[in-house]
Amino acid sequence: LVGTIQMEAVVSTQSTGEDVQSLNITEGRWYLLQTNYDPWEDCPFYDDRRTPGNICVKQWGQENFGFKSLFNVLTTKPNLNKLTVYTSLMSVRDEIQTWLQDCKTPCTPW
């Protein structure tokens, strides 16, 4: 969930309880990354997109991060794989961009 004010976003997941991750710039959380797996669980060894996603975001850095860099994170292997059908970027204010994807071989199946 995001708001219209800078640093206004949370990721809320539900299972047996509820987990909420919030942005907190003073604690170094200027972005939130959510994959198909709950944040309190390890990703399966064959589908760890969280680790490379975090590495890519940190390499771009907060000052350089925007739609272009987010697109690059989402469309770089292993985040892009054979199961990726499309990539969408949305701005709460005014922008939605969607691309059909095709991960060229060699590409992991998941």
Side-chain angles (χ1 to χ4, degrees):
L1 304 172
V2 298
T4 58
I5 300 170
Q6 186 176 7
M7 300 306 293
E8 190 175 59
V10 297
V11 172
S12 177
T13 52
Q14 292 183 323
S15 184
T16 55
E18 186 171 320
D19 181 60
V20 177
Q21 299 174 43
S22 301
L23 294 171
N24 187 326
I25 196 74
T26 59
E27 293 181 13
R29 283 193 317 266
W30 59 270
Y31 71 95
L32 300 172
L33 189 139
Q34 178 65 42
T35 64
N36 294 34
Y37 306 102
D38 291 326
W40 58 86
E41 294 180 356
D42 290 336
C43 298
F45 72 92
Y46 57 85
D47 190 26
D48 181 8
R49 290 171 280 155
R50 185 184 306 149
T51 301
N54 278 314
I55 290 169
C56 286
V57 171
K58 288 176 184 173
Q59 285 177 342
W60 276 97
Q62 184 177 359
E63 290 75 28
N64 300 314
F65 210 78
F67 260 41
K68 179 182 176 183
S69 47
L70 180 56
F71 179 80
N72 284 335
V73 171
L74 295 174
T75 59
T76 300
K77 297 173 189 177
N79 295 321
L80 175 68
N81 59 47
K82 289 290 187 188
L83 295 179
T84 305
V85 176
Y86 66 92
T87 300
S88 287
L89 303 178
M90 299 167 214
S91 165
V92 71
R93 294 201 177 143
D94 62 359
E95 193 170 359
I96 297 175
Q97 297 179 18
T98 301
W99 298 266
L100 294 176
Q101 297 291 356
D102 180 25
C103 190
K104 305 290 184 205
T105 303
C107 187
T108 59
W110 51 79

